[in-house]
Structure formats: C-alpha cells, structure tokens
Amino acid sequence: MKILFSNFKPILVAVITMFVVQCASIAQQKESKNKQQANHKYQSAVSLTKGIERLLTNAERRIISSAEAMPADKFYFTPESLNIDGSNFKGVRTYAGQIMHLATDNYLIWSTLTGDPLPDGINDVNGPEHISTKAAIIRYLKDSFALGHKAISKLTNQNAMEMLPFRYSKLPKLDLAFYALNHASEHYGQMVIYLRACGIVPPATIAENQ
C-alpha cells in the first residue's frame, strides 16, 4: 500500500495544485467582474447629464429669481440713468434687454442640441420685439431654460464630443452646453449690478448667505 500511495502521490499533488489554481482564477475573475460593475455604477452616478443639469438648475434659480425681483416699472432701467461720475454705461442694454438677450442665446444654443424650432420673432440675439412686458419676458426666459433641460437630457458620456454646426463653425455638444452655461452666468453678473444699482439685493445672494 505504501508503494502504491507513493506512486500516486505526485498525481495527487498535481490535482490539488490544479484545483487551488482554478479556485484562485475563479475568485480573481469574480473580483474583476465586481470591480467592473462597481465602476459602471460609479460612471452612471457621475454622468455628464447629472453634472451639467445641476449647473443649469443653479444658474436658472439665480437668474429667474433676479428677473422676478426687479419691479416692473424699473424693467427698462440702465445704470446710465444714474449719471455716476467716471462711469461709462452709454448704450448698454436695459435690464429687460439683458434678460431677453440671455434667453435668446439660450434658445439659439440649446435648440442646436435638441433640433427644436426657434420661437417666432427671433431675428437676432436680442429676441422678439413683441415680447416687452415683465410677465412676458419672464415667461420667455423660463421657457428658454426648459429647452436647456431638454437638451441636457439628451447629452451622454458617449455623444458629448459629437460635432454640430453652430455659427459658421462646428462645436462638440459638450462645448455648446458649457457655452450656454457660461453665457448665462456672465449675464447674471450684469443683472446683479443692475439690481444693486436699484437698491435690490439679489434673492440668490440672500438665500446663499443664510
């Protein structure tokens, strides 16, 4: 029996070794699969759509609250009327003009991503002339942001770098999205100046400092 066992001992060791190697390989494959699944979940959680949607929502909240804060009788105010010594506000847009331009560029940029037709009356970056009251201007502004949310919902990690024609050139979809966000933020800064010149603290400033 001892001789028989001695003859089979190398085979038994080889079988045990192979079993251990196979178990280790299976465990490694399972760990790799788990990592891939975890990475996929992480990528989904930090998708472009969610990140840009958050930025747009913040810009929208600040801009719309500021538009609503300006009294209707000052909607066509410009700092030029204050005659501040050393200042130069000659020819700047009115408060209403700031909002109309911001909203119109929203339409021009976001519609490039969605394929939606532009509202009637957009002939330049200043927007339709027939929209003139505070209520109508704010409605126009809100609708332009709604189009932005629609555009962002179509943006993915996979199509972000697809090129689209825009103003005599071509830009990636991601570039267009950030252009719209940056442009809106620039005009929000100007709206803040106009509000403070009228003695009004922007609502978003109050909320963010509480």
Side-chain angles (χ1 to χ4, degrees), residues 119-137:
D120 292 337
I122 294 183
N123 300 313
D124 55 31
V125 295
N126 296 311
E129 293 182 359
H130 67 272
I131 298 177
S132 57
T133 66
K134 176 180 177 178
I137 290 171

Side-chain angles (χ1 to χ4, degrees), residues 32-204:
S32 176
K33 184 177 180 180
N34 289 339
K35 285 183 177 179
Q36 289 177 353
Q37 289 175 342
N39 186 50
H40 177 72
K41 289 180 180 179
Y42 174 75
Q43 288 179 341
S44 298
V46 293
S47 68
L48 285 174
T49 300
K50 291 182 180 179
I52 299 175
E53 175 72 24
R54 182 169 59 252
L55 293 174
L56 180 64
T57 298
N58 287 338
E60 178 183 21
R61 173 179 53 80
R62 292 170 179 155
I63 290 167
I64 290 177
S65 65
S66 293
E68 292 174 336
M70 183 68 90
D73 62 349
K74 293 184 178 179
F75 232 59
Y76 284 86
F77 163 84
T78 80
E80 183 179 2
S81 63
L82 300 178
N83 298 312
I84 302 171
D85 289 342
S87 67
N88 186 358
F89 289 101
K90 186 174 179 60
V92 297
R93 287 187 174 98
T94 64
Y95 193 74
Q98 292 281 351
I99 298 171
M100 286 296 294
H101 170 63
L102 188 165
T104 299
D105 246 16
N106 276 352
Y107 280 113
L108 292 170
I109 298 168
W110 295 124
S111 66
T112 303
L113 290 169
T114 66
D116 283 69
L118 294 173
D120 292 337
I122 294 183
N123 300 313
D124 55 31
V125 295
N126 296 311
E129 293 182 359
H130 67 272
I131 298 177
S132 57
T133 66
K134 176 180 177 178
I137 290 171
I138 291 178
R139 181 73 268 162
Y140 180 71
L141 176 66
K142 288 181 177 179
D143 288 346
S144 77
F145 276 110
L147 184 62
H149 289 289
K150 179 179 179 180
I152 290 173
S153 72
K154 297 178 178 294
L155 191 65
T156 67
N157 294 16
Q158 290 71 38
N159 68 18
M161 299 311 294
E162 289 181 5
M163 304 294 285
L164 292 175
F166 183 75
R167 292 180 181 171
Y168 314 108
S169 182
K170 284 190 174 182
L171 293 173
K173 290 182 176 180
L174 183 61
D175 196 330
L176 283 166
F178 279 109
Y179 175 38
L181 291 168
N182 184 61
H183 180 262
S185 295
E186 287 177 350
H187 282 280
Y188 171 64
Q190 295 183 55
M191 291 170 69
V192 167
I193 294 173
Y194 282 45
L195 284 172
R196 289 188 177 277
C198 292
I200 301 169
V201 179

Side-chain angles (χ1 to χ4, degrees), residues 5-19:
F5 179 76
S6 177
N7 290 339
F8 281 98
K9 186 176 180 180
I11 297 174
L12 182 60
V13 171
V15 170
I16 293 173
T17 301
M18 186 179 296
F19 176 74

